[in-house]
Amino acid sequence: MLRLAWTSSKKSRVDPARLLSIAVLGGHHKRHSPELSRDISGLTPLPASDKSPSLLSPRTSQYCFSMTSRASLSMASGSEGQGSPPSNPQRPPNRLGQERSPYLLQHAHNPVDWYPWGQEAFDKARSEDKPIFLSVGYSTCHWCHVMERESFEDEEIGKTLSDNFVCIKVDREERPDVDKVYMTFVQATSGGGGWPMSVWLTPDLRPFIGGTYFPPRDSGRRPGLKTVLTRIMEQWQDNREALESSGERVIEALKKGTSIAANPGETPPPAPDVANRCFVQLAHSYEEEYGGFRDAPKFPSPVNLMFLMSFWSVNRSSTEGAEALQMTLHTLRMMALGGIHDHVAQGFHRYSTDSSWHVPHFEKMLYDQAQLAVAYISAYQVSGEQVFADVARDILLYVSRDLSDKSGGFYSAEDADSLPAAGGSEKREGAFCVWMGSEIRELLPVVVEGATGGATEADIFMHHYGVKEQGNVDMEQDPHGELQGQNVLIVRYSVELTAARFGLSVEKVSELLASARAKLAEVRKSRPAPHLDTKMLASWNGLMLSGFARVGAVLDDKAMLERAVQAARFLKEHLWDVERQIMLRSCYRGDEMEVEQGASPIAGFLDDYAYVICGLLDLYEATLQPEWLRWGEELQDRQDLLFWDAEGGGYYCSDPTDPTVLLRLKQDQDGAEPSANSVSALNLLRLSHYSGRKDWSQRSQQLLAAFSDRLTRVPIALPEMVRGLMANHYTLKQIVICGQRDAPDTSSLLATVNSLFLPHKVLMLADGETEGYLYQRLPILSSLTCQGGSGTAYVCEDFTCALPVTDPQELRRLLLE
């Protein structure tokens, strides 16, 4: 989609409306239908008028993108190694060859004079008086790579770009600040946006045209990139003043339209009212048959599920609470059974292209694994059903095996596309994951003793997982025929029903299915692997730290807890700049498997601080090692210094003093990842209880007040922030366990706490070391002692404590009151 925003001038030599009629329908790929931003009411689209012409592309358009609303839809393209193998490896590398981002390296051999985002490019644009072409994407984005192959590898287009524009390539995962600014522009002026994102800027970085995917040349009514570039060049020559004034006007309008601030004296809205409204809005969008919150495409949306469980926790006796719990558990069950769940190699794919969770977009993202692990282990705490614990363990097995660096860090993503096992140069979506019926029959030929009708292992496996000889993917889910004749495994029957169908015991069928999955997993190892994005981001590593800490604590799994500690140490060693006292955004796996930094390390953004702080708090509660609390407090002080808006409340997403970032934004949606402000609302409250600092609890209130309008009108946009609002309202219980960490009596009390879903609590250990971190922060702990020499639990609110208990069952009763 192309959108021009400018002021029409009677003196213009070219009619702006004529150029405004350009509309590109990008990436018409039904299986990859986009998720538009569910609510852009926080933005102020420019009005259509004779002074600011606006011609929207047809609302029926399919785009090669997705916005981060409830979850972001990501298009993937696979390749091995650090980045895609260059289309023309003989061509010498451009400037991007010096970068460390896998996405930028994928463009290092384009015939385009690419620059990374930075002063060198800005200076060139000003000195040569050229417009900037900004291209934003990420390494596992399918349509980003389509546009690269079609356009950026085209010699003629490359020359046009290089001669007439200053071309800047940005990895949106490295520079979310740049991405957010220009995506806000594209959204506000068109009502949609996504990746690849293509934006044209003035030399002072003001956007005047924005779009997503462009085909290389005209096709029917769709102008290609070559035509678009020619028209923009003409306008730059003939209508320069209008373009520049337009860029300035758009940015000024967006500054006003995206402002989030509390009015003087404003307080947060009433938590019960907001929570009830959020529940009603989610219930209205709930899809009853298969769970989830829309028909198709369908996203995991862990922020919704965590809110619903928190809502249930304070409404257990009401019909609304019961409904919230049912919605959550049903959705998680259906997802676990569906094709979105990788039944062979574990983990979850990005989203389902259909309403039944069957045919996924096969990309796997670290942030999904992290949040889903927490959602599933929370469901286990709520329900006691072992299947939820098994799925949480399953997710972490995948991450440990396939997304883990030996340094302790976690990689970002695994691609959807890969080369078919049968050979060929064209990558296909899901090639690594799907199966033909004949493959399974060949792999599992043994007749099962005692099975009805002389059934083979293949017969039983294919029945259970819905495998068909002709393939089980409908044509409408596969418009390009990539999955023709293939099967996506989906659990069609319970083990009990499959056992009954073949006259076998449940135990026998369970063993058979597990053995068969292991055989399929071995076959997969011989297939061409999808591209692995080995970039390690502080923010996503923080999310994954929470995943290992939370699951490890609930399951009392020492290996998981040790992996969490290893991740925290990685963050401190490789992504904490001790000298400057700042988080760094990213680091990379080098050619020798060592951890590398870029030539100019990127300073961390708000989410890098917020997610890591949350992970450290979860790690403290899982291990009760105070060093993680101490570092969390240190990071919170830095976050406050760097990002806090002292006038309006809330945190800016990036450094508000950076002159190259034109909008000072506060993210107001919990999407594929929660808003860092949402996470911070609860971080501040938790830290205030650990540190005794009332200023942090007050800051949490100020943050929530800044988002009052959004919380009141559309709380469904901020379910994670609603959880923070609820925690402030219901107050956090302080659970103090007195005793030695590894003593059996202390461990049994801790196990009781960890077995329960308690969203409004902080857990701390008083081990008698009065010179330690917590005792220094909270002197009252010295008055809480073990009773009768046994581990003792105190349940307090504002350190007004109930009578101490030593019996785990008594503690359980007290916590559930």
Side-chain angles (χ1 to χ4, degrees), residues 71 106 118 129 134 185 190 270 273 453 464 467 489 514 542 577-578 648 682 692 695 709 736 741 759 774 798:
Q106 287 167 344
D129 199 30
L134 174 66
F185 164 75
S190 72
D273 293 348
H464 188 75
V467 176
L489 302 185
D577 187 324
V578 177
L682 194 48
D695 61 314
D709 179 65
V736 182
R741 171 67 181 90
L774 274 177
D798 294 325

Side-chain angles (χ1 to χ4, degrees), residues 64-104:
C64 56
F65 65 87
S66 156
M67 290 309 303
T68 53
S69 53
R70 259 174 247 173
S72 76
L73 174 128
S74 317
M75 302 308 179
S77 176
S79 50
E80 292 69 46
Q82 278 284 82
S84 291
S87 300
N88 187 349
Q90 288 77 36
R91 189 185 294 125
N94 54 43
R95 288 175 188 80
L96 300 186
Q98 302 301 311
E99 296 297 308
R100 301 308 306 145
S101 158
Y103 176 64
L104 298 189

Side-chain angles (χ1 to χ4, degrees), residues 71 299-306 309 328 331-333 335-336 340-342 347-351 357 363-380 387-396 399 543-544 546-548 550-551 672 674:
F299 294 81
S301 304
V303 290
N304 292 345
L305 302 173
M306 292 304 296
M309 284 186 277
T328 303
T331 297
L332 289 168
R333 288 190 192 101
M335 285 171 49
I340 192 174
H341 183 199
D342 188 340
F348 278 81
H349 300 296
R350 179 75 277 273
Y351 64 90
W357 304 108
E363 183 182 20
K364 290 180 179 177
M365 304 299 296
L366 181 66
Y367 58 73
D368 282 327
Q369 316 309 319
Q371 294 175 86
L372 285 171
V374 172
Y376 273 99
I377 205 63
S378 299
Y380 171 64
V387 62
F388 296 123
D390 291 342
V391 175
R393 194 185 294 275
D394 180 87
I395 293 168
L396 298 189
V399 173
L543 289 174
M544 201 69 245
S546 285
F548 274 93
R550 295 277 294 273
V551 177

